[in-house]
Amino acid sequence: MSAHLEADISEILIPPDRLQERVQELARQIERDYADLRPVLVGVLRGSVYFLTDLTRHLRIPHEIDFMAIAAYGTRHATTGAVRLLKDLEDEITDRHVILVEDIVDTGLTAAYLTRLLRARKPASFTICVLLDKRARRIAEDLPLGYIGFEIPDRFVVGYGLDFRQLYRNLPYVGVLREEVLAQEPPYSP
């Protein structure tokens, strides 16, 4: 772990042991609900990778995984709601039981877009499993959040898959990024 990255964190919001404990609890809930249904867990790249990996390691029922990638437009303070699909699913989900696995839902605009997109493919059932629910910023309502790891306050968090400028994903916890780091100009990129 880079000491530089650790120094940019003002507070550890969710420590590694609590993260793993909660992920295991979510896996047990999914097992009960999907015991004989062989669900497809759809991870949203890149933020959900750590969460999806740990979640599937704890699942003791047959299941499949697939991935989607999207780009959402906006800044850390405001989102436009515009979303572009970068990578679609590899397999069909018609008549399948689909669980969309998200790292975080804040405004909910991206989750709402993915919900509309995936429900249009006529799955047998559809729900969302989210690690972090930031309700204070919610714009889109009526999201099918079937499984929620933690409700968090309106703070900018990184770690366990969540990034800031593609850094901090590998932190083993969810932490709050220092304000002075957020205020820095992005590095030059040709």
Side-chain angles (χ1 to χ4, degrees), residues 40-167:
V40 179
L41 281 70
V42 176
V44 181
L45 297 172
R46 302 172 203 166
S48 72
V49 168
Y50 292 80
F51 177 41
L52 178 67
T53 300
D54 286 343
L55 184 65
T56 59
R57 284 179 179 157
H58 288 297
L59 279 179
R60 299 173 298 195
I61 59 170
H63 63 277
E64 299 174 27
I65 63 171
D66 207 336
F67 292 95
M68 300 182 84
I70 56 165
Y73 298 99
T75 67
R76 72 180 182 95
H77 296 292
T79 181
T80 64
V83 176
R84 183 168 52 113
L85 184 63
L86 302 175
K87 181 201 175 305
D88 206 345
L89 298 174
E90 297 290 325
D91 298 316
E92 293 289 324
I93 59 166
T94 303
D95 296 327
R96 303 293 311 275
H97 296 278
V98 176
I99 303 172
L100 182 68
V101 179
E102 281 267 31
D103 54 350
I104 187 167
V105 172
D106 52 16
T107 64
L109 294 174
T110 301
Y113 168 80
L114 291 172
T115 296
R116 286 190 305 274
L117 181 71
L118 294 175
R119 279 184 168 164
R121 298 175 185 185
K122 311 244 183 270
S125 67
F126 177 83
T127 193
I128 298 174
C129 177
V130 62
L131 179 66
L132 305 174
D133 184 9
K134 192 187 293 186
R135 293 182 189 172
R137 291 177 41 89
R138 188 69 33 87
I139 295 171
E141 299 295 335
D142 299 326
L143 295 172
L145 301 179
Y147 306 93
I148 298 172
F150 302 92
E151 186 175 340
I152 64 168
D154 187 14
R155 301 177 74 185
F156 195 92
V157 293
V158 294
Y160 200 63
L162 292 113
D163 77 301
F164 178 65
R165 297 179 183 151
Q166 297 303 324
L167 296 175

Side-chain angles (χ1 to χ4, degrees), residues 16-59:
D17 58 339
R18 183 64 189 120
L19 272 172
Q20 292 306 314
E21 181 180 278
R22 185 65 184 134
V23 171
Q24 192 166 4
E25 290 169 359
L26 291 171
R28 296 293 83 81
Q29 292 174 350
I30 291 170
E31 285 174 359
R32 284 191 297 273
D33 296 344
Y34 291 85
D36 299 316
L37 300 177
R38 192 174 172 166
V40 179
L41 281 70
V42 176
V44 181
L45 297 172
R46 302 172 203 166
S48 72
V49 168
Y50 292 80
F51 177 41
L52 178 67
T53 300
D54 286 343
L55 184 65
T56 59
R57 284 179 179 157
H58 288 297
L59 279 179

